Structure formats: structure tokens, C-alpha cells
Amino acid sequence: MSIEKAYILLSIGLFLIGLLGVIVRKNLITILVSTELMLNGINLALVVADKVIGRVDGQIMAFFVLTVAAAEVAVGLGLIVAIFRLKGYEGSSEITQLRD
Amino acid sequence: MEWLIFAVLGTWLIVSALGVVFVKNPVHSILFFLSSLLAMAGIFISLGAELLAGIQLIIYAVAIVVFYVLVITTIPWEKVKRFEGFYKKELIISAPALVILFILMAYMVLKGKFATPVGVIKDNVREVGKTLFTSYLFPFEVASVILLVAMVGAILLGRREEG
């Protein structure tokens, strides 16, 4: 087994751990942190693919993933704060309807 | 040597990722996330992506983590206390499914073949910069527009309703 395959397996494991966090966590903020873990796993897979092929396109994709992660964090945390202030909800099981 | 670095950083990464998912307190969870980001930056350096490791440290480990902690401090603590930890039933159902998914994907990776390399990167930072500002110039500008839209949206969502 080459080292690149081991790194790909590591990235798959990180992605699935993040997915597990999205499924099982109660707190909305920790759900967002778990999505960040998933994005990190994707970044690792892109960088390893770069090392395999010998180009830099994957790192640029990872750069854009990072940009989108920053945007997602801004909007997501804004949404969470708005949900908390309007409704007082903090757990994912409390949110059962979208309307007022 | 390569495998030693992989073993140390990979164990560090997986342990801190599991800590993010299974630790009770949200603040501790974010600290575990910070630790996993540091391990990830080390992995990027060992894979030869120095620019991305630096960006990872600057944007993720500084900006995003500080933003999370800032938002946690604005929410009253007793409200956060009511919803910490994880759902037990969902964990029992989803963990075996995800393990099976991992085994399937690992089988695919181990049996498959990688593409043949087309070249060797000598100077990583120079190559990334050159490619980013020639082939990927338009997506770069679109990314800046995305950040602007996210900023406007965050301000719009975060302001108080005055009436």
C-alpha cells in the first residue's frame, strides 16, 4: 500500500467522522463544527490527489473550499444566532417548523 | 520516515476528530477542532502543500475558530447546557452504517489504481500562485463575490429588528 492510499483512507475517515457528528450532535454550533471537519477531509483528499498527479489544481480547489467554508461559517452562525434570538432554540430537535 | 509522520499526525487527527464529535461541552469541542486543524496543517506540509498549510493556519485556526468562540459567548450558557452531548439512539443506528460505508470506500481505494503522474512540482507556492492567477482567475473573482455576499447576508441576519 502506498502512502497516498493511506492518506486517502485518512481523509475518508475524517469525512465520515464529520458526518457522524452532523447526525448525532444535539447542539447547533457543534453541528456546524462537524461540517467543518467534513470540509477538512475533502481538502485532504484534494491535496493528496495533487501529490499523486503532480499538479497544483487540487490545491486551488482546496483554496476555494476554504473560501466557501469561511462564507458558510459567517452565514450559518448568523442563522443560528437569529434562530436563538427569535425563538430561543438551541438544540436541533427543538426546531420542528420553519414558519412563525 | 514518511510513514512515521503519517502515523503520528494521522493518530492525532483522528483522535481530535473523535473528540469533536463525542466531547460534551461545545467549547471543548471547538478546542478539539483547533487541535485537528493543527494536525491537518502538519499533514499539508508533509504532503508538500506549504501555501495551503499557511492559509489553513491563518484562516481556519485563527479566523473561523475565534468566530465560533465569539458566537458561543453571545449565547447564554444555561441554554447551551441544556443541549450538550449527542443523541444515543441515532448514534447506535448511524455508527454501524458509517463503518460499513468506510469499509466499502476503503475497498474501492485499495483495489483501484491511481492516475499516472504528469509532472513534478518543484516550487509549490510559485506554481499555485501562477495557476491561481492564470487558469483560475475567474473562479477567484467569483470567490470574492461569494465572500461579499456572505458578509452582507451575515450582517442582515445578525442585526436586531428595530421595528
Side-chain angles (χ1 to χ4, degrees), chain B residues 100-112:
Chain B
I100 291 170
L101 200 56
F102 178 76
I103 290 171
L104 288 176
M105 286 177 163
Y107 181 76
M108 180 187 77
V109 170
L110 290 177
K111 285 288 169 191

Side-chain angles (χ1 to χ4, degrees), chain A residues 1-10 12-14 16-17 19-21 23-27 29-30 32-33 36-37 39-41 43-44 47-48 51-57 59-64 66-67 69-71 73-75 77-79 81-82 84-85 88 90-94, chain B residues 2-3 6 14 17 20-24 26 29 33 37 40 43-44 46-47 49 52 55-56 59-60 64 67-68 71-72 75-76 79-80 82-87 91 94 98 101-102 105-106 109-110 112 114 117-119 121 124 127-128 131-132 136 139-140 147 150 154 157-160:
Chain A
M1 189 166 79
S2 62
I3 188 101
E4 283 88 6
K5 288 193 174 181
Y7 273 119
I8 293 272
L9 289 184
L10 186 66
I12 292 171
L14 194 63
L16 289 179
I17 288 173
L19 186 58
L20 183 70
I23 294 171
V24 303
R25 286 305 293 229
K26 283 182 184 171
N27 198 310
I29 293 174
T30 46
L32 263 189
V33 175
E36 299 290 331
L37 272 185
L39 289 175
N40 263 310
N43 269 355
L44 181 55
V47 172
V48 177
K51 192 178 182 205
V52 171
I53 310 178
R55 299 188 59 156
V56 292
D57 299 66
Q59 288 173 42
I60 288 166
M61 295 288 168
F63 183 71
F64 289 130
L66 241 136
T67 314
V73 149
V75 175
L77 283 177
L79 273 176
V81 170
F84 179 75
R85 206 166 47 222
E90 184 53 27
S92 57
S93 65
E94 274 186 320
Chain B
E2 221 175 13
W3 282 98
F6 171 77
I14 291 297
V20 170
V21 176
F22 289 114
V23 114
K24 269 185 102 173
S29 165
F33 177 60
L37 288 181
M40 189 66 118
I43 287 177
F44 282 165
S46 84
L47 283 174
L52 204 60
I55 289 174
Q56 172 101 353
I59 295 182
Y60 258 117
I64 291 182
F67 198 23
Y68 273 116
V71 165
I72 279 193
I75 291 176
K79 263 318 246 195
V80 178
R82 263 180 55 222
F83 282 97
E84 55 184 19
F86 44 87
Y87 299 114
L91 178 67
S94 65
L98 291 182
L101 200 56
F102 178 76
M105 286 177 163
V109 170
L110 290 177
F114 279 137
V118 294
I121 300 299
N124 176 263
E127 282 295 322
V128 170
T131 317
L132 184 61
Y136 289 90
F140 185 74
L147 279 177
L157 286 168
R159 92 201 142 121
R160 293 189 187 280

